């Protein structure tokens, strides 16, 4: 890190003192360059003096033309899509998104009746027990069982008969 910086009165020498006790001295090649600083590079974002009358809109010059697409546009978003990877390039595979199962979607939207039916259709004891425990946690087991008749209670009774001996 720099501790001190100084410039000679003519601008020909630059001296920097650093924290590791080193002193760096730089000298310009000629005094003519020191008197006239080089013009700044022209980019599309370079500020230039506005001429003309107050309130007059300046016409864009040739240096104002932006090469390429502008950030924030759809074309800017799509840049690079048509380029194929080269042999030395490293490709990163996109991870597949985890999709919710049908009973998770139903639980997420508070459709408890459909969630219990979907869990019973899947058939796994762990899934059915998990959904029933979630319904108890949400106080939704009564809602899930409400309004069922003999045919809609059959899968639930069948599951209980199959798994009653398993803890």
């Amino acid at each position: 890190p720099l501790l001190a910086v100084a410039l000679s009165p003519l601008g020909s020498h630059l001296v920097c003192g650093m924290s590791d006790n080193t002193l760096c001295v730089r000298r310009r090649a000629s005094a003519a360059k020191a008197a006239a600083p080089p013009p700044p590079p022209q980019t599309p974002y370079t500020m230039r003096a506005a001429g003309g009358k107050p309130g007059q809109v300046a016409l864009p010059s040739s240096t104002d033309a932006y090469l390429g697409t502008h950030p924030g546009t759809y074309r800017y978003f799509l840049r690079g899509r048509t380029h194929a990877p080269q042999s030395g390039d490293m490709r990163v595979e996109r991870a597949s998104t985890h999709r919710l199962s049908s009973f998770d979607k139903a639980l997420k939207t508070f459709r408890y009746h459909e969630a219990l039916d979907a869990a019973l259709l899947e058939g796994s004891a762990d899934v059915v027990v998990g959904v029933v425990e979630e319904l108890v946690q949400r106080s939704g087991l009564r809602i899930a069982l409400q309004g069922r008749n003999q045919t809609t209670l059959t899968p639930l009774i069948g599951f209980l008969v199959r798994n009653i001996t398993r803890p």
Side-chain angles (χ1 to χ4, degrees):
L2 294 176
L3 295 177
V5 177
L7 188 63
S8 68
L10 297 176
S12 60
H13 290 79
L14 175 70
V15 180
C16 299
M18 298 180 209
S19 63
D20 60 349
N21 292 333
T22 59
L23 186 67
C24 179
V25 179
R26 300 290 173 162
R27 185 174 64 94
R28 284 202 181 165
S30 69
K33 287 185 180 177
Q42 294 292 325
T43 66
Y45 302 108
T46 303
M47 297 291 288
R48 58 184 168 82
K53 300 174 187 163
Q56 181 180 6
V57 177
L59 295 174
S61 66
S62 61
T63 59
D64 288 343
Y66 186 77
L67 302 174
T69 59
H70 295 282
T73 61
Y74 186 67
R75 177 179 246 173
Y76 184 82
F77 177 73
L78 292 179
R79 73 193 188 288
R81 295 261 177 142
T82 58
H83 296 284
Q86 297 176 356
S87 62
D89 291 346
M90 182 181 285
R91 291 191 65 188
V92 177
E93 297 295 327
R94 291 186 182 188
S96 61
T97 58
H98 178 69
R99 295 184 184 248
L100 292 177
S101 56
S102 57
F103 57 87
D104 278 333
K105 287 179 187 176
L107 283 173
K108 191 175 178 182
T109 55
F110 304 101
R111 297 187 314 238
Y112 299 143
H113 187 84
E114 294 176 26
L116 184 60
D117 287 343
L120 288 168
L121 280 177
E122 187 167 314
S124 171
D126 293 337
V127 170
V128 176
V129 170
V131 169
V132 169
E133 286 177 352
E134 182 66 24
L135 290 172
V136 169
Q137 183 81 22
R138 295 183 180 201
S139 301
L141 187 59
R142 177 176 286 181
I143 298 169
L145 296 175
Q146 205 170 20
R148 291 183 180 258
N149 57 16
Q150 185 177 359
T151 58
T152 56
L153 278 175
T154 304
L156 181 62
I157 300 296
F159 171 79
L160 292 173
V161 167
R162 284 191 310 272
N163 297 302
I164 196 75
T165 58
R166 295 183 191 157

